[in-house]
Amino acid sequence: SGTETNTLVIYAHSANHNKETMLGPKKGTLAAYLGIEGGGSGGVTVAALDFRHPAKDVDGNMYPVSKDDMSHAVQFFRYYADVFKINPDDIFITGSSLGAGAGIHAAVKEVANPDDPYLVRRVSSRIRGAFLATGQSSFSPQWFKRNFLEEEIWPYYLPDFHDDEER
């Protein structure tokens, strides 16, 4: 209650199992997030959202249709910050495995479109920070780079790592 706002931590793990992961094997992680000192004037809010699988939900050209899902989640929470009592400028993404891969993409790309007919998609998708672990990008950096990052970012993403394209 009151006017306090929380820091928002958006957690992502595997497609369609985020809530179960936070209440099961990552229960300690959830407790740690909720106990972050100085999390806004009111504390920390954790959102564990299901998202589409970036390697399975693809279009006819094998392009991941879900690559902007995390960014759109940031836009949604920023637009409705008053409803969720969060600080719209204090949003973090965290995750592991597929969630880390999706988080990497969201951390480096702004998807706001001032001409979009949906007001939510007009707001910034920028986040304050990300802490990600064991991202699926580590298994095939070249595939991840081609499918999730814009070409101008490619030279900065694991430039010395050459993986086997067959993996």
Side-chain angles (χ1 to χ4, degrees):
S1 63
T3 60
E4 299 89 9
T5 59
N6 287 356
T7 295
L8 175 64
V9 175
I10 299 174
Y11 173 80
H13 179 52
S14 57
N16 300 319
H17 296 288
N18 289 333
K19 296 170 198 72
E20 295 81 1
T21 300
M22 287 267 66
L23 297 174
K26 297 283 185 178
K27 200 171 196 174
T29 303
L30 174 61
Y33 293 158
L34 292 172
I36 294 172
E37 293 286 331
S41 58
V44 175
T45 297
V46 177
L49 306 175
D50 289 336
F51 60 96
R52 295 176 290 177
H53 195 293
K56 294 179 182 175
D57 294 315
V58 294
D59 65 16
N61 296 317
M62 298 304 293
Y63 190 80
V65 296
S66 63
K67 71 182 189 73
D68 291 335
D69 283 359
M70 292 292 288
S71 296
H72 292 310
V74 170
Q75 289 177 302
F76 174 84
F77 281 108
R78 178 166 281 122
Y79 186 82
Y80 291 106
D82 291 342
V83 173
F84 291 101
K85 293 198 173 201
I86 60 164
N87 178 341
D89 298 319
D90 201 15
I91 299 174
F92 291 83
I93 290 177
T94 182
S96 58
S97 191
L98 286 170
I104 289 168
H105 180 72
V108 300
K109 183 179 180 190
E110 169 65 75
V111 299
N113 178 356
D115 299 322
D116 198 293
Y118 298 103
L119 297 179
V120 171
R121 296 228 177 152
R122 293 181 186 182
V123 300
S124 175
S125 66
R126 291 284 178 215
I127 58 174
R128 184 162 171 218
F131 39 111
L132 308 161
T134 62
Q136 295 302 96
S137 61
S138 62
F139 297 114
S140 182
Q142 304 308 320
W143 177 87
F144 180 84
K145 181 174 75 173
R146 282 193 315 274
N147 286 285
F148 285 88
L149 302 178
E150 289 77 23
E151 283 191 52
E152 60 269 15
I153 297 171
W154 289 7
Y156 306 104
Y157 184 75
L158 299 172
D160 297 327
F161 189 83
H162 302 288
D163 65 338
D164 179 0
E165 289 285 332
E166 298 300 314
R167 287 190 292 151

